[in-house]
């Protein structure tokens, strides 16, 4: 019968709420403050959204059971373009969006109708997302919930922004930003379709003279001007004649538009077709030399200026274009005389590196995509290893990497050059659909993330933080390194106004960086103890930074002193943030801003301690998307499969950084597993373990190792591994234990089984909290497993000897089975021979030597022969080699364990086999020692016995 998942889940959620189980206030215990990036309520949650929250919830539940006072709160991010963009698309009747809302998420028509108002969208999905989080069983303290447009939150953001401005970290200036020309708004990752950060770089425009006109070409390698042989022009492009800040230029229309956004004064004077330029000459800026403009098809109007400076010795595109061009020229044409000019010497390359790369990659023509690869290769090699040759005037003999900036400076001073900022990852589209550009924003407000000392402080914080998984750490260093000034205000959207310039709203990635501190205040706001109008700078300074006196704050704000004290103490109890969870896509922005803003605002002891980053969720191995029809709304999935199976299916499919692959087959498998565990729990009667036998000691030892493995894995947030241990890894041990117990017809094991199951259920509870409660109750407990103590692993409870004994029994049973399989005989009796005592001593010596690193057979042999106790090895030289192989085939930990327990009485251990063999094969066994003169040994088998490898005779 199908289990009533929803009924069980509802029952336990109700009990958690009644017991206020996840409400955390300061107490005597040690605290853990675990937070996860709050959601934008701009659309409903699907399965993919559940991953980060589920991981954080497991983390929170684990530490709660470990005895910590865990605070795990949640808020909702109403600010900025994510919600505004959705409202605009609904208002514009975007059928893709409306279809999705109607048909996938079943949002009622009457609600969709209101969605052109951003606040209506936010409120609707706020409730929807919250309901989903509750149904997933997240152990959130909902007393601390808030939205980023709550009046008190806005006061808090004003304080944050003012504090940064007082420290000169918010500056007014002119800086380039990614920009949506339609919305007239700066854009960053959260404002774009597909969540891409607009990335731009500075190109140098080299100004070639063409009678009265300047023809600019864009390059990242201004040093190659010395090797220019011609320009490339596309005959099909209709170029513009424009006046740029008083100079007359010829360039593509796209480039002229880009320059307008870069704050250049442009007027349009006329047009000239590329074909009219072909064959004409331009003058190289730094010397009176004329070069021709030749035609090439790889030149595009939307890249650079639409004209290209050709350096065939060092640029693969130019080299190939020159080859292509010459093919179409008659013999004897002057153009056949154009030769590449080599200007850089690089180790590993001859005179013309571009030619070498083109030939090595067998490039066919200038439209060959492999040219990109060739370009990248030459660029890197010449930049880091190249030296400028004698034909580069005052720069001769310098390394390219060192001369580059000097050349840029020289070109600018002589007015031979200009600059163009260009997106490197275009096209980037805004959420409104428009293509983004780079714009110089003048006299705007910027967070000065380019500030060197700010970066240093952030790096100091990062160095002390735990970053999980560890391999993601370099990405943070990289982001801190490249961050530059960032516009912190927008003109549209919900949010908090800039306190000193009310036309602007603090944008969404700037009002979400230190809000974890606000969770402390939110509780008091929701209880009606404080309100927006009474809050001042003094209040926040006092509570968060310890500046000023509580008495004074109470006076100014009219908040009772006791309340101010309470808030202040609660903040100093819960802060700093112990762990921050988020998806990997937030590393280049939110997570790094989180570090930067904390170090800017708070004293060092309040800096964050840890960041945990996870990958995304795939559906049946594919990205979730509407067009694939594979989006499963989270609440729908909970109704269909239950929350716990979904939590487990998400976690068990991948470790942190990998993409988790959600599929229904694994959900079904997990459900079956949980049902069978629940059935086992229902069958067990409580009892206490008494009179421990060999197998009891063994299974309890294995249980200790299990606890230790699961705990270590969760601490490292290796949740997939931890869950695997809890759900599956122990099954084969249980089977063996049952086999041993059944063979002996024991009936006194409920105490043991109860202990084993209770431990597993307790460890399952952070992952599958509802069903674990149900199991816990079935096991006879009256308290809640979410509040139970995490099982402790005590190393000295691990009985190494019993583990070795059971291993010997298992491997011997395995050997008997294999012999029977190969020989196909029906056994009448089974005889087992354990090795002679000198072999056991020799084994110990060999083992000790191997642990020390001595593997040489000759050396081992010599020392064994030299010893009276083991000199018999002479008669059996093969023994050493085989024993070395036996030992090496085991993991190091098992070797150490064997060395630790020393000699074991194999004969005594193997006598335990009798009941097992009788049960499995219906015959009795006899165990002899190799040295026993009375032994039955017709086939002379006993001499092949080795320690832990008894000889076996089956008749
Ligand atoms: Zn836009």
């Amino acid at each position: 019968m199908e289990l009533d998942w929803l009924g069980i889940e509802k029952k336990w959620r109700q009990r958690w709420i009644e017991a206020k189980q996840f409400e955390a206030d300061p107490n005597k215990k040690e605290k853990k403050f675990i937070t996860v990036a709050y959601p934008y309520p701009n659309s409903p949650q699907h399965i993919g959204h559940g991953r980060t929250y589920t991981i954080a919830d497991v983390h929170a539940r684990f530490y709660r059971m470990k005895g910590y006072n865990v605070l795990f709160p949640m808020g909702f991010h109403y600010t900025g373009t994510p919600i505004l963009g959705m409202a605009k698309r609904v208002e514009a009747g975007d059928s893709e969006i409306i279809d999705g809302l109607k048909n996938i998420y079943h949002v009622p028509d009457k609600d969709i109708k209101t969605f052109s108002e951003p606040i209506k969208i936010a409120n609707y999905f706020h409730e929807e997302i919250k309901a989903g989080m509750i149904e997933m069983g997240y152990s959130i303290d909902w007393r601390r919930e808030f939205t980023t447009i709550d009046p008190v939150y806005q006061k808090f953001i004003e304080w944050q922004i003012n504090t940064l401005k007082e420290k000169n970290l918010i500056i007014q200036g002119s800086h380039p930003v990614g920009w949506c020309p339609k919305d007239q708004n700066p854009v960053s990752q959260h404002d774009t379709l597909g969540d891409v950060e607009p990335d731009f770089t500075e190109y140098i425009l080299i100004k070639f003279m063409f009678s009265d006109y300047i023809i600019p070409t864009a390059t990242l390698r201004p040093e190659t001007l010395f090797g220019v042989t011609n320009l490339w022009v596309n005959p099909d492009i209709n170029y513009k004649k424009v006046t740029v800040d008083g100079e007359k230029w010829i360039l593509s229309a796209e480039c002229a538009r880009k320059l307008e956004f870069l704050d250049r004064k442009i007027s349009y004077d006329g047009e000239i077709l590329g074909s009219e330029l072909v064959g004409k000459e331009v003058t190289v800026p730094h010397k009176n030399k004329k070069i021709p403009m030749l035609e090439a098809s790889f030149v595009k109007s939307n890249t650079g200026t639409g004209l290209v400076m050709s350096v065939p010795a060092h640029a693969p595109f130019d080299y190939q274009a020159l080859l292509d061009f010459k093919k179409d020229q008659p013999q004897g044409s002057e153009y056949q005389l154009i030769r590449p000019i080599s200007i850089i010497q690089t180790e590993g390359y001859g005179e013309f590196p571009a030619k070498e790369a083109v030939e090595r990659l067998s490039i066919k023509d200038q439209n060959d995509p492999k040219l990109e690869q060739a370009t990248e290769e030459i660029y890197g090699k010449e930049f880091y290893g190249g030296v400028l040759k004698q034909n580069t005037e005052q720069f001769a003999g310098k390394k390219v990497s060192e001369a580059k900036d000097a050349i840029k400076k020289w070109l600018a001073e002589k007015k031979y050059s200009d600059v163009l900022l260009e997106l490197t990852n275009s096209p980037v589209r805004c959420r409104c659909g428009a293509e983004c550009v780079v714009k110089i924003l003048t006299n705007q407000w910027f967070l000065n993330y380019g500030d060197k000392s700010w970066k240093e402080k952030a790096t100091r914080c990062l160095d002390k933080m735990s970053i999980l998984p560890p391999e993601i750490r370099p990405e943070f260093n990289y982001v801190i390194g490249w961050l530059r000034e960032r516009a912190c205000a927008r003109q549209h959207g919900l949010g908090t106004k800039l306190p000193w310039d009310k036309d602007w709203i603090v944008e969404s990635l700037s009002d979400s960086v230190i809000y974890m501190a606000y969770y402390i205040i939110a509780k008091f706001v929701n209880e009606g103890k404080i309100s927006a109008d009474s809050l001042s700078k003094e209040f926040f300074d006092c509570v968060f930074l310890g500046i000023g006196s509580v008495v004074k704050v109470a006076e100014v704000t009219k908040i009772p002193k006791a309340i101010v004290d309470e808030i202040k103490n609660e903040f100093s109890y819960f802060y700093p943030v112990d762990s921050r969870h988020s998806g990997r896509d937030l590393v280049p922005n939110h997570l790094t801003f989180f570090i930067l803003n904390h170090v800017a605002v708070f004293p060092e002891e309040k800096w964050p301690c840890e960041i945990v980053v996870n990958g995304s969720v795939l559906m049946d191995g594919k990205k979730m998307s509407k067009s694939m029809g594979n989006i499963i709304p989270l609440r729908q999935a909970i109704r269909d499969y239950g929350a716990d199976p979904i939590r487990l299916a998400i976690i068990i499919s991948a470790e942190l950084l990998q993409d988790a692959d959600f599929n229904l087959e694994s959900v079904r498998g997990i459900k079956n597993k949980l049902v069978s565990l629940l059935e086992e729990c229902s069958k067990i009667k409580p009892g206490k373990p008494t009179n421990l036998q060999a197998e009891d000691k063994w299974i309890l030892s294995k249980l200790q190792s299990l606890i230790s493995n699961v705990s270590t894995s969760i601490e490292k947030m290796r949740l997939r591994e931890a869950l695997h241990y809890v759900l599956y890894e122990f099954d084969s041990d249980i089977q063996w234990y049952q086999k041993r117990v059944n063979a002996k017809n024991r009936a006194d094991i409920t105490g043991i089984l109860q202990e084993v199951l209770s431990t597993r259920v307790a460890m399952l509870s952070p992952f599958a909290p509802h069903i674990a409660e149900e199991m816990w109750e079935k096991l006879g407990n009256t308290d809640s497993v979410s509040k139970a103590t995490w099982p402790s692993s005590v190393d000295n409870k691990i009985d190494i000897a019993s583990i070795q004994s059971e291993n010997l029994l298992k491997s011997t049973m395995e050997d008997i089975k294999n012999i029977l399989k190969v020989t196909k005989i029906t056994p009448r009796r089974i005889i087992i021979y354990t090795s002679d005592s000198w072999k056991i001593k020799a084994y110990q010596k060999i083992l000790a030597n191997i642990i020390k690193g001595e593997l040489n057979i000759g050396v081992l042999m010599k020392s064994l022969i030299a010893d009276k106790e083991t000199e018999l090895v002479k008669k059996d030289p093969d023994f050493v080699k085989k024993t070395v192989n036996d030992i090496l085939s085991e993991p190091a930990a098992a070797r150490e364990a064997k060395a630790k327990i020393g000699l074991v009485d194999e004969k005594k251990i193997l006598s335990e086999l009798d009941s097992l063999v009788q049960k499995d094969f219906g015959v009795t066994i006899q165990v002899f020692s190799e040295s026993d003169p009375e032994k039955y040994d017709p086939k002379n088998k006993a001499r092949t016995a080795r320690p832990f490898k008894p000889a076996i005779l089956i008749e």
Side-chain angles (χ1 to χ4, degrees):
M1 197 191 79
E2 177 74 5
L3 194 63
D4 176 17
W5 292 93
L6 298 189
I8 290 172
E9 290 177 354
K10 201 168 160 201
K11 170 174 107 188
W12 290 106
R13 278 202 299 272
Q14 198 51 43
R15 294 211 194 159
W16 295 333
I17 292 169
E18 280 159 16
K20 303 181 190 305
Q21 200 137 311
F22 307 120
E23 296 182 1
D25 296 307
N27 62 24
K28 291 249 162 15
K29 289 200 220 168
E30 215 182 307
K31 63 89 187 181
K32 282 268 181 213
F33 186 16
I34 296 177
T35 68
V36 51
Y38 51 21
Y40 288 115
N42 67 341
S43 56
Q45 283 182 304
H46 56 68
I47 288 262
H49 293 112
R51 188 173 185 203
T52 311
Y53 301 114
T54 301
I55 290 171
D57 185 55
V58 173
H59 201 188
R61 286 174 172 276
F62 170 71
Y63 278 109
R64 215 172 271 123
M65 291 176 76
K66 291 279 272 186
Y68 289 88
N69 184 17
V70 174
L71 173 56
F72 180 42
M74 189 62 61
F76 293 87
H77 201 187
Y78 279 32
T79 312
T81 54
I83 287 169
L84 184 69
M86 183 62 104
K88 282 191 175 168
R89 290 175 75 179
V90 173
E91 191 176 24
D94 185 321
S95 61
E96 191 187 331
I97 297 283
I98 293 172
D99 259 23
L101 292 174
K102 262 190 195 163
N103 303 327
I104 298 178
Y105 293 104
H106 306 294
V107 179
D109 274 341
K110 68 170 174 38
D111 290 304
I112 297 178
K113 279 204 187 99
T114 68
F115 283 180
S116 50
E117 255 184 276
I119 187 73
K120 291 277 163 52
I121 292 199
N123 287 340
Y124 182 89
F125 291 120
H126 175 164
E127 291 314 318
E128 175 77 11
I129 292 169
K130 181 180 174 185
M133 287 177 166
I134 292 172
E135 286 162 6
M136 281 291 271
Y138 298 149
S139 56
I140 292 167
D141 181 352
W142 286 108
R143 296 173 307 159
R144 298 169 187 275
E145 178 187 358
F146 66 85
T147 84
T148 60
I149 58 166
D150 294 352
V152 180
Y153 189 82
Q154 299 197 333
K155 282 271 181 163
F156 166 72
I157 294 302
E158 281 177 17
W159 170 77
Q160 174 201 325
I161 293 292
N162 277 326
T163 303
L164 292 171
K165 185 150 180 279
E166 279 162 27
K167 294 177 187 244
N168 266 330
L169 296 174
I170 291 184
I171 50 169
Q172 195 173 27
S174 302
H175 297 279
V177 296
W179 181 260
C180 170
K182 192 168 153 205
D183 292 336
Q184 299 281 304
N185 241 357
V187 283
S188 59
Q189 192 184 21
H190 284 201
D191 311 313
T192 61
L193 294 178
D195 282 330
V196 277
E197 178 74 29
D199 190 21
F200 48 85
T201 194
E202 183 187 271
Y203 284 81
I204 303 297
L205 298 182
I206 308 274
K207 295 160 136 182
F208 293 89
M209 297 305 301
F210 176 61
S211 70
D212 284 352
Y213 281 91
I214 287 168
I215 291 193
T217 65
T219 181
L220 289 168
R221 307 182 66 190
E223 69 276 11
T224 59
L225 170 61
F226 296 105
V228 67
T229 57
N230 61 286
L231 299 193
W232 296 118
V233 54
N234 188 328
D236 299 330
I237 295 176
N238 204 359
Y239 293 94
K240 299 284 171 199
K241 291 177 168 173
V242 298
T243 305
V244 180
D245 295 318
E247 291 177 349
K248 294 161 102 183
W249 291 16
I250 292 174
L251 37 58
S252 70
E254 287 92 330
C255 185
R257 183 163 174 271
K258 284 174 202 163
L259 287 169
E260 287 186 71
F261 285 110
L262 296 173
D263 217 25
R264 309 299 298 262
K265 264 211 139 38
I266 308 263
S267 60
Y268 291 82
D269 309 329
E271 294 181 344
I272 181 165
L273 208 59
S275 54
E276 291 176 58
L277 294 172
V278 170
K280 306 256 169 62
E281 289 185 320
V282 294
T283 310
V284 179
H286 67 293
K287 53 174 142 188
N288 198 15
K289 181 185 159 192
K290 287 196 186 300
I291 53 170
M293 288 189 270
L294 307 177
E295 63 171 285
S297 60
F298 79 92
V299 176
K300 301 280 180 285
S301 62
N302 58 2
T303 320
T305 59
L307 292 116
V308 173
M309 144 178 123
S310 171
V311 189
H314 303 285
F317 270 105
D318 299 338
Y319 178 78
Q320 185 59 46
L322 188 59
L323 283 189
D324 294 353
F325 177 76
K326 282 184 180 177
K327 254 186 236 153
D328 299 334
Q329 297 301 311
Q331 284 300 322
S333 146
E334 55 179 321
Y335 296 134
Q336 295 290 1
L337 299 175
I338 297 177
R339 292 278 172 269
I341 302 170
S342 175
I343 58 152
I344 299 167
Q345 181 60 54
T346 307
E347 213 186 289
Y349 289 98
E351 214 182 348
F352 303 122
K355 176 172 185 261
E356 289 174 33
V358 162
E359 285 168 2
R360 184 154 30 79
L361 292 170
S362 315
I363 283 161
K364 287 190 292 293
D365 60 39
Q366 61 192 292
N367 299 311
D368 193 326
K370 286 194 297 249
L371 275 168
E372 294 285 352
Q373 183 192 341
T375 302
E376 232 166 79
E377 174 197 318
I378 301 290
Y379 183 99
K381 289 273 167 61
E382 293 193 331
F383 179 76
Y384 292 107
V387 175
L388 290 163
K389 290 188 175 175
Q390 286 311 310
N391 53 1
T392 59
E393 304 191 8
Q394 68 267 44
F395 305 104
K398 293 207 166 91
K399 285 186 177 169
V400 173
S401 55
E402 287 160 8
K404 195 168 196 123
D405 283 340
I407 294 175
K408 264 194 213 174
K409 210 171 142 222
W410 167 70
L411 288 169
E413 276 168 6
K414 295 275 185 187
K415 306 219 182 316
Y416 295 155
S417 70
D418 212 310
V419 293
L420 171 71
L421 292 166
E422 176 138 71
L423 287 174
T424 52
N425 56 345
S426 63
V428 176
R429 292 197 178 277
C430 174
R431 283 182 188 271
C432 76
E435 188 171 337
C436 300
V437 295
V438 187
K439 179 177 166 69
I440 303 256
L441 210 49
T442 49
N443 288 326
Q444 270 323 316
W445 296 102
F446 291 85
L447 274 156
N448 192 10
Y449 287 143
D451 184 277
K452 230 179 136 198
S453 63
W454 196 358
K455 284 176 192 273
E456 278 165 12
K457 226 170 159 187
T459 305
R460 197 144 55 80
C461 175
L462 176 65
D463 287 347
K464 282 201 279 179
M465 288 176 80
S466 148
I467 302 291
L468 294 176
E471 60 263 36
I472 199 92
R473 180 182 290 277
E475 281 188 31
F476 284 96
N477 285 109
Y478 175 75
V479 175
I480 291 175
W482 70 243
L483 272 179
R484 51 197 157 203
E485 298 81 6
R486 184 191 156 82
C488 61
R490 298 281 189 272
Q491 287 186 310
H492 311 288
L494 300 168
T496 305
K497 289 185 170 142
L498 269 189
W500 58 85
D501 190 347
K502 303 280 184 188
D503 288 341
W504 292 85
I505 292 158
V506 181
E507 61 88 40
S508 64
L509 280 165
S510 302
D511 83 343
S512 58
V513 283
I514 59 163
Y515 69 88
M516 310 82 209
Y518 186 79
Y519 284 121
I520 307 302
I521 296 187
K523 186 182 89 175
F524 295 89
V525 176
N526 295 341
E527 286 170 349
K529 289 181 178 160
I530 52 176
S531 62
D533 36 329
S534 60
L535 299 183
S536 62
K537 172 179 161 56
E538 288 86 353
F539 170 82
F540 293 108
D541 278 351
C542 175
V543 166
F544 290 145
L545 307 177
I547 296 170
S549 84
V550 175
V551 176
K552 176 85 189 300
V553 170
E555 239 177 69
V556 176
T557 59
K558 309 276 186 293
I559 302 170
K561 179 179 167 293
I563 302 277
V564 182
D565 260 330
E566 198 186 341
I567 299 174
K568 187 167 184 255
N569 291 337
E570 186 156 335
F571 175 75
S572 61
Y573 175 80
F574 278 118
Y575 236 67
V577 173
D578 292 284
S579 192
R580 176 89 181 142
H581 286 257
S582 173
R584 181 176 196 164
D585 54 327
L586 299 192
V587 174
N589 44 66
H590 167 71
L591 287 172
T592 307
F593 301 163
F594 160 72
I595 298 174
L596 279 155
N597 283 274
H598 269 87
V599 304
V601 173
F602 294 102
E604 191 158 348
E605 71 269 17
K606 300 295 179 201
W607 292 1
C609 305
E610 180 177 79
I611 286 177
V612 182
V613 177
N614 63 267
S616 60
V617 180
L618 304 176
M619 182 75 204
D620 292 321
K622 297 188 194 91
K623 235 184 128 151
M624 271 182 244
S625 74
K626 190 177 161 281
S627 56
M628 308 273 270
N630 64 353
I631 291 181
I632 302 186
L634 186 64
R635 296 190 69 193
Q636 182 65 48
I638 295 169
R639 280 193 288 274
D640 291 349
Y641 312 108
D644 286 344
I646 293 169
R647 291 171 64 114
L648 299 196
I650 290 172
I651 283 175
I652 207 148
S653 80
E655 289 298 358
L656 279 178
L657 265 202
Q658 302 162 329
D659 288 335
D661 187 8
F662 187 87
N663 63 72
L664 293 178
E665 207 164 310
S666 87
V667 177
R668 271 191 287 276
I670 282 161
K671 274 177 123 171
N672 292 340
K673 182 72 198 168
L674 293 176
V675 168
S676 82
L677 268 177
L678 181 64
E679 277 167 6
E680 277 177 59
C681 293
S682 315
K683 280 188 241 154
I684 291 284
K685 291 179 197 74
K688 277 254 174 276
T690 45
N691 278 333
L692 297 188
Q693 301 203 19
E695 62 273 16
D696 300 337
K697 287 184 197 157
W698 173 78
I699 193 78
L700 292 176
S701 294
K702 294 295 272 188
L703 189 63
Q704 287 297 310
S705 317
L706 180 73
I707 295 169
S708 147
N709 288 340
V710 173
S711 308
T712 312
S713 297
I714 300 185
E715 274 155 20
K716 293 180 185 161
M717 291 309 288
R718 297 185 58 83
L719 299 186
R720 188 202 65 86
E721 181 179 87
L723 182 54
H724 211 270
Y725 284 134
V726 177
L727 273 190
Y728 302 112
E729 190 92 340
F730 211 58
D731 285 356
S732 60
D733 289 336
I734 294 278
Q735 272 164 22
W736 174 255
Y737 178 72
Q738 288 286 7
K739 194 175 162 84
R740 292 270 278 136
V741 167
N742 292 344
K744 289 176 160 182
N745 290 320
R746 289 179 59 190
D748 57 345
I749 59 157
T750 55
I752 303 276
L753 291 180
Q754 156 99 6
E755 183 167 338
V756 169
L757 261 176
S758 299
T759 305
R760 284 178 87 182
V761 168
M763 293 195 295
L764 178 64
S765 111
F767 299 95
H770 312 89
I771 197 75
E773 294 281 12
E774 189 74 11
M775 294 172 184
W776 192 247
E777 192 182 56
K778 292 272 192 281
L779 285 167
N781 299 290
T782 49
D783 58 344
S784 158
V785 69
S786 310
K787 284 177 84 177
T789 307
W790 185 258
S792 64
S793 70
V794 190
D795 265 354
N796 62 19
K797 270 172 88 179
I798 297 183
D799 185 344
I800 309 174
S802 75
I803 291 178
Q804 290 303 331
S805 316
E806 292 302 316
N807 284 349
L808 178 61
L809 290 178
K810 275 201 237 176
S811 62
T812 311
M813 277 299 276
E814 220 31 56
D815 288 347
I816 294 172
K817 233 189 265 169
N818 286 335
I819 294 170
L820 288 173
K821 211 161 125 194
V822 173
T823 58
K824 295 192 171 87
I825 53 177
T826 312
R828 282 179 296 115
R829 61 171 166 177
I830 297 175
I831 296 119
I832 291 176
Y833 310 96
T834 62
S835 41
D836 202 350
S837 61
W838 73 263
K839 287 185 178 171
I840 296 168
K841 281 171 192 144
Y843 182 95
Q844 291 295 331
K845 287 183 91 174
I846 295 170
L847 179 61
N849 272 303
I850 287 180
I851 288 171
K852 273 190 292 179
E854 180 55 72
L855 294 169
N856 185 301
I857 303 279
V859 174
L860 291 172
M861 196 73 156
K862 228 177 186 173
S863 84
L864 290 170
I865 291 171
D867 188 335
K868 267 257 168 296
E869 283 192 316
T870 52
E871 64 179 357
L872 282 173
V873 79
K874 272 186 294 190
K875 292 203 295 189
D876 190 359
D878 258 6
F879 172 80
V880 177
K881 209 176 149 195
K882 283 184 174 155
T883 301
V884 168
N885 287 339
D886 288 346
I887 294 171
L888 289 181
S889 68
E890 283 195 310
R895 285 178 222 160
E896 301 274 350
K898 275 192 176 139
K900 215 161 149 191
I901 52 169
L903 304 176
V904 297
D905 185 349
E906 288 191 23
K907 200 162 168 229
K908 182 162 172 261
I909 294 166
L910 288 169
S911 65
E912 295 256 344
L913 264 188
D914 197 37
S915 58
L916 284 170
V917 168
Q918 285 214 37
K919 189 114 191 163
D920 276 13
F921 310 113
V923 294
T924 57
I925 61 158
Q926 277 176 293
V927 184
F928 292 106
S929 169
E930 182 184 348
S931 57
D932 185 350
E934 307 285 302
K935 65 178 181 288
Y936 171 79
D937 189 9
K939 297 222 168 118
N940 207 11
K941 278 251 172 194
R943 63 188 177 85
T944 63
R946 297 197 301 282
F948 301 102
K949 284 257 179 252
I952 299 167
L953 172 69
I954 301 181
E955 295 187 322

